[in-house]
Amino acid sequence: MDNQTNTTTNPEDNKVLAEELKQQGNEEFKKNNYTRAIELYTKAINLHSQEASYYSNRAACYQKIKKYYKCIEDTDEALRIDPNFTKASRRKAQALLAIGKFKDALNILKSILTIDPKDKTIQQDVQEVKQAEEYFKELEANINNGNYPVALSYIQKLFTICPDFEQLQFKRVEILVRMEKVAEAVKLSTDLMNDHQNNTDFLYSRALAIFYNGQADLAKKTLTKALQLDPDSSKCMQLKKKLNKFDDFKEKANEAFKRGDYEEAIKYYTDSLELDPGYKSYNSIIFANRAAAQMKLTKYQEALADVDKSIELNADYAKAYFRRGEIKILLEDFEDAVRDFKKVHQLDPQYAGIREKIHETEKAAKKAARKDYYKILGVSKEATEEEIKKAYKKGALKWHPDKNNESEEAMKLAEKNFKDLQEAYSVISDPKKRQQYDSGMDLNDIGGHGGMNFHDMFGGGIDPSMFFNMGGMGGGFGHGGGHRGGRSPFEGFSSGGGMPGFSFSFNRR
């Protein structure tokens, strides 16, 4: 008797055949061939459906292959036939424990102990249920206290006792979210979806994971389905309410920004950030948006702090790097701005206008690294020719080395500043060179600017190394082996002649 069940019209004969099938099933069970044993017990049941042991034995097979709900169904049937079948009762308690039904399992075990209070095996089962209950309490306490790694350790302990406790998987998803392992949480919830898509607790954990993954709309749809299944689920209602608040604050902030009410926008962005500090993907966006409002109010340091926080929360947020680059430009930190724009290009090569932005900022960085000739002369970028000449005279009087000879250090500083002054004037006083300088051209490419052009200034025929005495001062400018002692070939300032725009003249000897 193997693949076919040979039934007869004689109930007694069927009982005999069923008993033979049971014995065969027992042999397969001993060999760990549980699927084959289930087939044989099922055939026995088909021949004689009122034998409790057949259901109990088949339940044992389901327990071995971790089909605990089927195990419970069979033990229920066995106990319907024989309410005092202790073996079936214990098997049901074990299956209930495996799926996390602590209270139900404990009640069954206690009822068995009323029949035989000294049954050591049942007493051990009771202790195992109580241990699982204690683990679950610790799990809940550590979740509430934010001790998520410890909570995960209790989940592992519980799985050794309750291998099909589905709530543990849902709680693991929630814990992974809280531990900022959002991608892992989303993957786990996706793996669980086919078997639990109509379970409210699962749908809550799924909504939480995809919400923190930045999919707020999908999270709302998931919560809507959960509340259709269980309209009284408080945690689902609370999460959906939080999502609606996020949307409300964000919408109000964006509307305020569009109408130019940046202070109001900052207020709503701040309110939004306070809803859930752990919602990193969303908060990263809000920090970047608040930075934009700060920029409009020229609060660049506050804007920089916000965008730094945005990047801290999401290191792959290209828009935040772009915004930080814009802030760095406003703070004239061009080199850092270039680095941020290059990061944007690395994260998103198709980011609108990023190549042009990098080029422009590199040019600005190069320009900023040059000597600031306007600053050296002490004039604005809009200075007139006359203002430039007056500024040069003032600088020349201030930094002439013969007026700064109290120490070697003072003379070296004066010589450097005097040389820079000459260089600045030679470029800014020449309209063509000035235009080249203002356009950002490299100093080395600006034609003929390398220091003061004395030939142009004094009409040629004069040794540029021999400069002038400052009014009434002895000793010349010592550049290039000049006349530090004795009289200079150029004496005194006077009001007549000389270089246009200057109130001094040079007299040849």
mmCIF file of all heavy atoms in Angstrom, residues 371 373 376-377 392 415-430 433 443-444 446-458 464 467 477 479 499:
data_model
loop_
_atom_site.group_PDB
_atom_site.id
_atom_site.type_symbol
_atom_site.label_atom_id
_atom_site.label_comp_id
_atom_site.label_asym_id
_atom_site.label_seq_id
_atom_site.Cartn_x
_atom_site.Cartn_y
_atom_site.Cartn_z
ATOM 1 N N LYS A 371 46.745 89.194 -7.140
ATOM 2 C CA LYS A 371 46.872 90.399 -6.325
ATOM 3 C C LYS A 371 45.705 91.328 -6.642
ATOM 4 O O LYS A 371 45.319 91.478 -7.798
ATOM 5 C CB LYS A 371 48.188 91.119 -6.634
ATOM 6 C CG LYS A 371 49.432 90.357 -6.188
ATOM 7 C CD LYS A 371 50.684 91.113 -6.561
ATOM 8 C CE LYS A 371 51.936 90.334 -6.144
ATOM 9 N NZ LYS A 371 53.178 91.041 -6.554
ATOM 10 N N TYR A 373 44.825 94.640 -7.198
ATOM 11 C CA TYR A 373 45.477 95.908 -7.497
ATOM 12 C C TYR A 373 44.671 97.101 -6.971
ATOM 13 O O TYR A 373 45.239 98.126 -6.570
ATOM 14 C CB TYR A 373 45.683 96.048 -9.000
ATOM 15 C CG TYR A 373 46.794 95.166 -9.549
ATOM 16 C CD1 TYR A 373 46.835 94.797 -10.894
ATOM 17 C CD2 TYR A 373 47.825 94.707 -8.721
ATOM 18 C CE1 TYR A 373 47.850 93.995 -11.396
ATOM 19 C CE2 TYR A 373 48.839 93.909 -9.211
ATOM 20 C CZ TYR A 373 48.853 93.553 -10.550
ATOM 21 O OH TYR A 373 49.851 92.768 -11.038
ATOM 22 N N ILE A 376 45.478 97.337 -3.354
ATOM 23 C CA ILE A 376 46.847 97.834 -3.158
ATOM 24 C C ILE A 376 46.901 99.345 -3.321
ATOM 25 O O ILE A 376 47.547 100.057 -2.543
ATOM 26 C CB ILE A 376 47.814 97.140 -4.140
ATOM 27 C CG1 ILE A 376 47.968 95.646 -3.750
ATOM 28 C CG2 ILE A 376 49.177 97.830 -4.152
ATOM 29 C CD1 ILE A 376 48.712 94.817 -4.783
ATOM 30 N N LEU A 377 46.185 99.862 -4.329
ATOM 31 C CA LEU A 377 46.174 101.304 -4.568
ATOM 32 C C LEU A 377 45.258 102.034 -3.592
ATOM 33 O O LEU A 377 45.390 103.242 -3.397
ATOM 34 C CB LEU A 377 45.715 101.588 -5.994
ATOM 35 C CG LEU A 377 46.727 101.272 -7.105
ATOM 36 C CD1 LEU A 377 46.050 101.284 -8.464
ATOM 37 C CD2 LEU A 377 47.885 102.272 -7.066
ATOM 38 N N TYR A 392 48.045 106.667 -6.137
ATOM 39 C CA TYR A 392 49.411 106.209 -6.337
ATOM 40 C C TYR A 392 50.396 107.143 -5.648
ATOM 41 O O TYR A 392 51.340 106.698 -4.982
ATOM 42 C CB TYR A 392 49.748 106.105 -7.819
ATOM 43 C CG TYR A 392 51.204 105.758 -8.017
ATOM 44 C CD1 TYR A 392 51.675 104.482 -7.757
ATOM 45 C CD2 TYR A 392 52.110 106.747 -8.398
ATOM 46 C CE1 TYR A 392 53.021 104.189 -7.887
ATOM 47 C CE2 TYR A 392 53.456 106.459 -8.527
ATOM 48 C CZ TYR A 392 53.916 105.176 -8.268
ATOM 49 O OH TYR A 392 55.228 104.883 -8.373
ATOM 50 N N GLU A 415 59.819 98.130 0.693
ATOM 51 C CA GLU A 415 60.248 97.818 -0.670
ATOM 52 C C GLU A 415 59.227 96.919 -1.369
ATOM 53 O O GLU A 415 58.903 97.107 -2.550
ATOM 54 C CB GLU A 415 61.622 97.168 -0.654
ATOM 55 C CG GLU A 415 62.742 98.136 -0.316
ATOM 56 C CD GLU A 415 64.117 97.470 -0.336
ATOM 57 O OE1 GLU A 415 64.178 96.287 -0.741
ATOM 58 O OE2 GLU A 415 65.091 98.123 0.028
ATOM 59 N N LYS A 416 58.720 95.921 -0.635
ATOM 60 C CA LYS A 416 57.721 95.003 -1.212
ATOM 61 C C LYS A 416 56.452 95.762 -1.569
ATOM 62 O O LYS A 416 55.913 95.633 -2.684
ATOM 63 C CB LYS A 416 57.386 93.878 -0.234
ATOM 64 C CG LYS A 416 56.282 92.939 -0.726
ATOM 65 C CD LYS A 416 55.877 91.946 0.337
ATOM 66 C CE LYS A 416 54.751 91.058 -0.182
ATOM 67 N NZ LYS A 416 53.553 91.809 -0.624
ATOM 68 N N ASN A 417 55.960 96.563 -0.624
ATOM 69 C CA ASN A 417 54.720 97.289 -0.859
ATOM 70 C C ASN A 417 54.888 98.333 -1.961
ATOM 71 O O ASN A 417 53.972 98.581 -2.752
ATOM 72 C CB ASN A 417 54.248 97.972 0.424
ATOM 73 C CG ASN A 417 53.724 96.965 1.437
ATOM 74 O OD1 ASN A 417 53.405 95.829 1.087
ATOM 75 N ND2 ASN A 417 53.652 97.366 2.701
ATOM 76 N N PHE A 418 56.087 98.930 -2.019
ATOM 77 C CA PHE A 418 56.358 99.929 -3.054
ATOM 78 C C PHE A 418 56.379 99.268 -4.434
ATOM 79 O O PHE A 418 55.834 99.795 -5.410
ATOM 80 C CB PHE A 418 57.694 100.616 -2.766
ATOM 81 C CG PHE A 418 57.873 101.894 -3.530
ATOM 82 C CD1 PHE A 418 57.179 103.040 -3.167
ATOM 83 C CD2 PHE A 418 58.743 101.960 -4.609
ATOM 84 C CE1 PHE A 418 57.345 104.220 -3.877
ATOM 85 C CE2 PHE A 418 58.901 103.137 -5.314
ATOM 86 C CZ PHE A 418 58.204 104.275 -4.952
ATOM 87 N N LYS A 419 56.947 98.096 -4.470
ATOM 88 C CA LYS A 419 56.997 97.353 -5.738
ATOM 89 C C LYS A 419 55.586 96.954 -6.183
ATOM 90 O O LYS A 419 55.226 97.077 -7.359
ATOM 91 C CB LYS A 419 57.873 96.119 -5.586
ATOM 92 C CG LYS A 419 57.992 95.296 -6.865
ATOM 93 C CD LYS A 419 58.881 94.080 -6.641
ATOM 94 C CE LYS A 419 58.968 93.256 -7.924
ATOM 95 N NZ LYS A 419 59.796 92.044 -7.738
ATOM 96 N N ASP A 420 54.751 96.466 -5.209
ATOM 97 C CA ASP A 420 53.370 96.102 -5.526
ATOM 98 C C ASP A 420 52.593 97.317 -6.008
ATOM 99 O O ASP A 420 51.771 97.232 -6.935
ATOM 100 C CB ASP A 420 52.667 95.514 -4.294
ATOM 101 C CG ASP A 420 53.144 94.111 -3.942
ATOM 102 O OD1 ASP A 420 53.787 93.473 -4.811
ATOM 103 O OD2 ASP A 420 52.870 93.649 -2.812
ATOM 104 N N LEU A 421 52.867 98.479 -5.379
ATOM 105 C CA LEU A 421 52.193 99.713 -5.768
ATOM 106 C C LEU A 421 52.528 100.078 -7.214
ATOM 107 O O LEU A 421 51.656 100.445 -8.003
ATOM 108 C CB LEU A 421 52.621 100.834 -4.820
ATOM 109 C CG LEU A 421 51.874 102.165 -4.932
ATOM 110 C CD1 LEU A 421 50.456 102.012 -4.411
ATOM 111 C CD2 LEU A 421 52.612 103.253 -4.165
ATOM 112 N N GLN A 422 53.823 99.977 -7.554
ATOM 113 C CA GLN A 422 54.249 100.245 -8.928
ATOM 114 C C GLN A 422 53.538 99.322 -9.910
ATOM 115 O O GLN A 422 53.048 99.739 -10.957
ATOM 116 C CB GLN A 422 55.766 100.047 -9.051
ATOM 117 C CG GLN A 422 56.608 101.050 -8.294
ATOM 118 C CD GLN A 422 58.067 100.654 -8.373
ATOM 119 O OE1 GLN A 422 58.532 99.877 -7.556
ATOM 120 N NE2 GLN A 422 58.765 101.170 -9.362
ATOM 121 N N GLU A 423 53.516 98.017 -9.532
ATOM 122 C CA GLU A 423 52.915 97.007 -10.407
ATOM 123 C C GLU A 423 51.428 97.281 -10.597
ATOM 124 O O GLU A 423 50.901 97.199 -11.712
ATOM 125 C CB GLU A 423 53.122 95.622 -9.801
ATOM 126 C CG GLU A 423 52.635 94.456 -10.655
ATOM 127 C CD GLU A 423 52.927 93.119 -10.004
ATOM 128 O OE1 GLU A 423 54.076 92.902 -9.558
ATOM 129 O OE2 GLU A 423 51.996 92.300 -9.934
ATOM 130 N N ALA A 424 50.740 97.601 -9.501
ATOM 131 C CA ALA A 424 49.309 97.866 -9.561
ATOM 132 C C ALA A 424 49.030 99.082 -10.449
ATOM 133 O O ALA A 424 48.138 99.061 -11.304
ATOM 134 C CB ALA A 424 48.753 98.086 -8.156
ATOM 135 N N TYR A 425 49.822 100.144 -10.259
ATOM 136 C CA TYR A 425 49.591 101.361 -11.030
ATOM 137 C C TYR A 425 49.845 101.149 -12.518
ATOM 138 O O TYR A 425 49.122 101.674 -13.372
ATOM 139 C CB TYR A 425 50.457 102.507 -10.503
ATOM 140 C CG TYR A 425 50.191 103.798 -11.230
ATOM 141 C CD1 TYR A 425 49.054 104.533 -10.943
ATOM 142 C CD2 TYR A 425 51.053 104.241 -12.237
ATOM 143 C CE1 TYR A 425 48.780 105.704 -11.638
ATOM 144 C CE2 TYR A 425 50.783 105.406 -12.940
ATOM 145 C CZ TYR A 425 49.650 106.128 -12.627
ATOM 146 O OH TYR A 425 49.377 107.275 -13.318
ATOM 147 N N SER A 426 50.885 100.373 -12.832
ATOM 148 C CA SER A 426 51.215 100.155 -14.240
ATOM 149 C C SER A 426 50.075 99.474 -14.991
ATOM 150 O O SER A 426 49.928 99.648 -16.194
ATOM 151 C CB SER A 426 52.495 99.331 -14.365
ATOM 152 O OG SER A 426 52.265 97.986 -13.998
ATOM 153 N N VAL A 427 49.251 98.697 -14.278
ATOM 154 C CA VAL A 427 48.120 98.012 -14.919
ATOM 155 C C VAL A 427 46.863 98.858 -14.860
ATOM 156 O O VAL A 427 46.203 99.106 -15.875
ATOM 157 C CB VAL A 427 47.868 96.639 -14.238
ATOM 158 C CG1 VAL A 427 46.568 96.016 -14.754
ATOM 159 C CG2 VAL A 427 49.040 95.715 -14.489
ATOM 160 N N ILE A 428 46.502 99.344 -13.676
ATOM 161 C CA ILE A 428 45.222 100.036 -13.504
ATOM 162 C C ILE A 428 45.211 101.399 -14.184
ATOM 163 O O ILE A 428 44.159 101.902 -14.584
ATOM 164 C CB ILE A 428 44.892 100.180 -11.999
ATOM 165 C CG1 ILE A 428 44.848 98.799 -11.337
ATOM 166 C CG2 ILE A 428 43.561 100.883 -11.789
ATOM 167 C CD1 ILE A 428 43.885 97.825 -11.977
ATOM 168 N N SER A 429 46.387 102.000 -14.365
ATOM 169 C CA SER A 429 46.429 103.315 -15.039
ATOM 170 C C SER A 429 46.355 103.179 -16.550
ATOM 171 O O SER A 429 46.175 104.175 -17.253
ATOM 172 C CB SER A 429 47.711 104.059 -14.646
ATOM 173 O OG SER A 429 48.864 103.349 -15.116
ATOM 174 N N ASP A 430 46.498 101.974 -17.054
ATOM 175 C CA ASP A 430 46.454 101.737 -18.506
ATOM 176 C C ASP A 430 45.078 101.156 -18.847
ATOM 177 O O ASP A 430 44.747 100.047 -18.416
ATOM 178 C CB ASP A 430 47.564 100.760 -18.895
ATOM 179 C CG ASP A 430 47.628 100.526 -20.398
ATOM 180 O OD1 ASP A 430 46.581 100.172 -20.987
ATOM 181 O OD2 ASP A 430 48.717 100.655 -20.963
ATOM 182 N N LYS A 433 45.103 97.493 -20.211
ATOM 183 C CA LYS A 433 45.532 96.516 -19.221
ATOM 184 C C LYS A 433 44.489 96.385 -18.097
ATOM 185 O O LYS A 433 44.236 95.299 -17.572
ATOM 186 C CB LYS A 433 46.878 96.911 -18.627
ATOM 187 C CG LYS A 433 48.027 96.863 -19.614
ATOM 188 C CD LYS A 433 49.307 97.345 -18.967
ATOM 189 C CE LYS A 433 50.466 97.388 -19.960
ATOM 190 N NZ LYS A 433 51.691 97.925 -19.336
ATOM 191 N N LEU A 443 47.531 87.311 -14.669
ATOM 192 C CA LEU A 443 48.476 88.433 -14.600
ATOM 193 C C LEU A 443 49.620 88.270 -15.590
ATOM 194 O O LEU A 443 50.129 89.251 -16.147
ATOM 195 C CB LEU A 443 49.034 88.565 -13.186
ATOM 196 C CG LEU A 443 48.018 88.936 -12.086
ATOM 197 C CD1 LEU A 443 48.733 89.090 -10.756
ATOM 198 C CD2 LEU A 443 47.281 90.208 -12.444
ATOM 199 N N ASN A 444 50.061 87.044 -15.793
ATOM 200 C CA ASN A 444 51.182 86.813 -16.710
ATOM 201 C C ASN A 444 50.824 87.077 -18.165
ATOM 202 O O ASN A 444 51.692 87.195 -19.017
ATOM 203 C CB ASN A 444 51.678 85.376 -16.569
ATOM 204 C CG ASN A 444 52.324 85.123 -15.231
ATOM 205 O OD1 ASN A 444 52.957 86.008 -14.672
ATOM 206 N ND2 ASN A 444 52.137 83.920 -14.688
ATOM 207 N N ILE A 446 48.738 89.612 -19.051
ATOM 208 C CA ILE A 446 48.463 91.039 -19.264
ATOM 209 C C ILE A 446 49.736 91.695 -19.789
ATOM 210 O O ILE A 446 50.768 91.713 -19.111
ATOM 211 C CB ILE A 446 48.011 91.715 -17.957
ATOM 212 C CG1 ILE A 446 46.679 91.091 -17.481
ATOM 213 C CG2 ILE A 446 47.851 93.217 -18.155
ATOM 214 C CD1 ILE A 446 46.196 91.619 -16.151
ATOM 215 N N GLY A 447 49.674 92.222 -20.977
ATOM 216 C CA GLY A 447 50.883 92.670 -21.651
ATOM 217 C C GLY A 447 51.645 93.776 -20.948
ATOM 218 O O GLY A 447 51.083 94.786 -20.564
ATOM 219 N N GLY A 448 52.963 93.552 -20.735
ATOM 220 C CA GLY A 448 53.879 94.576 -20.278
ATOM 221 C C GLY A 448 53.608 95.131 -18.909
ATOM 222 O O GLY A 448 53.931 96.290 -18.650
ATOM 223 N N HIS A 449 52.984 94.329 -17.985
ATOM 224 C CA HIS A 449 52.654 94.907 -16.697
ATOM 225 C C HIS A 449 53.713 94.649 -15.653
ATOM 226 O O HIS A 449 53.601 95.143 -14.547
ATOM 227 C CB HIS A 449 51.346 94.298 -16.163
ATOM 228 C CG HIS A 449 51.575 92.952 -15.547
ATOM 229 N ND1 HIS A 449 51.622 91.805 -16.309
ATOM 230 C CD2 HIS A 449 51.799 92.572 -14.262
ATOM 231 C CE1 HIS A 449 51.849 90.772 -15.507
ATOM 232 N NE2 HIS A 449 51.962 91.210 -14.273
ATOM 233 N N GLY A 450 54.766 93.928 -15.979
ATOM 234 C CA GLY A 450 55.683 93.446 -14.956
ATOM 235 C C GLY A 450 56.419 94.551 -14.248
ATOM 236 O O GLY A 450 57.598 94.803 -14.474
ATOM 237 N N GLY A 451 55.752 95.244 -13.391
ATOM 238 C CA GLY A 451 56.346 96.333 -12.603
ATOM 239 C C GLY A 451 56.062 97.676 -13.247
ATOM 240 O O GLY A 451 55.544 97.785 -14.349
ATOM 241 N N MET A 452 56.409 98.733 -12.584
ATOM 242 C CA MET A 452 56.149 100.091 -13.054
ATOM 243 C C MET A 452 56.956 100.354 -14.320
ATOM 244 O O MET A 452 58.145 100.053 -14.386
ATOM 245 C CB MET A 452 56.559 101.067 -11.948
ATOM 246 C CG MET A 452 56.223 102.494 -12.233
ATOM 247 S SD MET A 452 54.470 102.776 -12.066
ATOM 248 C CE MET A 452 54.505 104.556 -11.891
ATOM 249 N N ASN A 453 56.323 100.891 -15.339
ATOM 250 C CA ASN A 453 56.996 101.189 -16.596
ATOM 251 C C ASN A 453 57.542 102.610 -16.531
ATOM 252 O O ASN A 453 56.866 103.581 -16.836
ATOM 253 C CB ASN A 453 56.012 101.062 -17.767
ATOM 254 C CG ASN A 453 56.721 101.109 -19.102
ATOM 255 O OD1 ASN A 453 57.739 101.795 -19.251
ATOM 256 N ND2 ASN A 453 56.183 100.377 -20.070
ATOM 257 N N PHE A 454 58.802 102.761 -16.073
ATOM 258 C CA PHE A 454 59.404 104.079 -15.881
ATOM 259 C C PHE A 454 59.627 104.800 -17.203
ATOM 260 O O PHE A 454 59.580 106.011 -17.274
ATOM 261 C CB PHE A 454 60.733 103.948 -15.142
ATOM 262 C CG PHE A 454 60.559 103.648 -13.698
ATOM 263 C CD1 PHE A 454 60.420 102.345 -13.263
ATOM 264 C CD2 PHE A 454 60.518 104.671 -12.751
ATOM 265 C CE1 PHE A 454 60.256 102.063 -11.936
ATOM 266 C CE2 PHE A 454 60.350 104.384 -11.410
ATOM 267 C CZ PHE A 454 60.216 103.079 -10.997
ATOM 268 N N HIS A 455 59.877 104.008 -18.259
ATOM 269 C CA HIS A 455 60.109 104.641 -19.553
ATOM 270 C C HIS A 455 58.875 105.449 -19.969
ATOM 271 O O HIS A 455 58.972 106.585 -20.412
ATOM 272 C CB HIS A 455 60.440 103.584 -20.602
ATOM 273 C CG HIS A 455 60.728 104.163 -21.957
ATOM 274 N ND1 HIS A 455 61.964 104.617 -22.314
ATOM 275 C CD2 HIS A 455 59.916 104.364 -23.023
ATOM 276 C CE1 HIS A 455 61.927 105.081 -23.556
ATOM 277 N NE2 HIS A 455 60.675 104.927 -24.007
ATOM 278 N N ASP A 456 57.673 104.784 -19.763
ATOM 279 C CA ASP A 456 56.431 105.467 -20.111
ATOM 280 C C ASP A 456 56.191 106.657 -19.204
ATOM 281 O O ASP A 456 55.684 107.691 -19.628
ATOM 282 C CB ASP A 456 55.247 104.513 -20.016
ATOM 283 C CG ASP A 456 55.322 103.436 -21.087
ATOM 284 O OD1 ASP A 456 56.062 103.639 -22.064
ATOM 285 O OD2 ASP A 456 54.632 102.400 -20.927
ATOM 286 N N MET A 457 56.536 106.524 -17.915
ATOM 287 C CA MET A 457 56.231 107.569 -16.954
ATOM 288 C C MET A 457 57.129 108.791 -17.116
ATOM 289 O O MET A 457 56.689 109.925 -16.982
ATOM 290 C CB MET A 457 56.376 107.058 -15.519
ATOM 291 C CG MET A 457 55.272 106.095 -15.116
ATOM 292 S SD MET A 457 55.497 105.564 -13.434
ATOM 293 C CE MET A 457 55.332 107.105 -12.549
ATOM 294 N N PHE A 458 58.411 108.565 -17.402
ATOM 295 C CA PHE A 458 59.374 109.659 -17.350
ATOM 296 C C PHE A 458 59.953 110.056 -18.712
ATOM 297 O O PHE A 458 60.876 110.841 -18.791
ATOM 298 C CB PHE A 458 60.513 109.304 -16.403
ATOM 299 C CG PHE A 458 60.012 108.899 -15.042
ATOM 300 C CD1 PHE A 458 60.553 107.799 -14.407
ATOM 301 C CD2 PHE A 458 59.003 109.623 -14.416
ATOM 302 C CE1 PHE A 458 60.097 107.429 -13.150
ATOM 303 C CE2 PHE A 458 58.552 109.255 -13.169
ATOM 304 C CZ PHE A 458 59.092 108.151 -12.527
ATOM 305 N N PRO A 464 65.852 103.189 -14.634
ATOM 306 C CA PRO A 464 64.736 102.924 -13.726
ATOM 307 C C PRO A 464 65.175 102.585 -12.327
ATOM 308 O O PRO A 464 64.391 102.670 -11.388
ATOM 309 C CB PRO A 464 64.025 101.722 -14.367
ATOM 310 C CG PRO A 464 64.497 101.681 -15.776
ATOM 311 C CD PRO A 464 65.876 102.266 -15.766
ATOM 312 N N PHE A 467 65.562 106.058 -8.543
ATOM 313 C CA PHE A 467 64.272 106.708 -8.348
ATOM 314 C C PHE A 467 64.506 108.090 -7.761
ATOM 315 O O PHE A 467 65.549 108.696 -7.969
ATOM 316 C CB PHE A 467 63.374 105.831 -7.470
ATOM 317 C CG PHE A 467 61.929 106.139 -7.624
ATOM 318 C CD1 PHE A 467 61.336 106.137 -8.877
ATOM 319 C CD2 PHE A 467 61.164 106.428 -6.510
ATOM 320 C CE1 PHE A 467 59.998 106.407 -9.010
ATOM 321 C CE2 PHE A 467 59.824 106.706 -6.646
ATOM 322 C CZ PHE A 467 59.235 106.695 -7.890
ATOM 323 N N PHE A 477 66.335 105.442 -3.628
ATOM 324 C CA PHE A 477 65.708 104.129 -3.521
ATOM 325 C C PHE A 477 66.728 103.065 -3.881
ATOM 326 O O PHE A 477 67.315 103.105 -4.950
ATOM 327 C CB PHE A 477 64.495 104.102 -4.471
ATOM 328 C CG PHE A 477 63.786 102.792 -4.489
ATOM 329 C CD1 PHE A 477 63.683 102.017 -3.340
ATOM 330 C CD2 PHE A 477 63.218 102.335 -5.665
ATOM 331 C CE1 PHE A 477 63.017 100.823 -3.362
ATOM 332 C CE2 PHE A 477 62.558 101.129 -5.683
ATOM 333 C CZ PHE A 477 62.449 100.382 -4.540
ATOM 334 N N HIS A 479 66.635 100.024 -4.830
ATOM 335 C CA HIS A 479 66.320 98.858 -5.654
ATOM 336 C C HIS A 479 67.424 98.602 -6.655
ATOM 337 O O HIS A 479 67.889 99.512 -7.309
ATOM 338 C CB HIS A 479 65.020 99.113 -6.432
ATOM 339 C CG HIS A 479 63.873 98.368 -5.850
ATOM 340 N ND1 HIS A 479 63.829 97.957 -4.565
ATOM 341 C CD2 HIS A 479 62.698 97.975 -6.414
ATOM 342 C CE1 HIS A 479 62.695 97.354 -4.312
ATOM 343 N NE2 HIS A 479 61.983 97.342 -5.437
ATOM 344 N N MET A 499 55.500 114.253 -14.166
ATOM 345 C CA MET A 499 54.491 113.268 -14.584
ATOM 346 C C MET A 499 53.090 113.853 -14.465
ATOM 347 O O MET A 499 52.747 114.434 -13.456
ATOM 348 C CB MET A 499 54.605 112.025 -13.710
ATOM 349 C CG MET A 499 53.626 110.947 -14.110
ATOM 350 S SD MET A 499 53.872 109.530 -13.076
ATOM 351 C CE MET A 499 52.486 108.554 -13.632
#
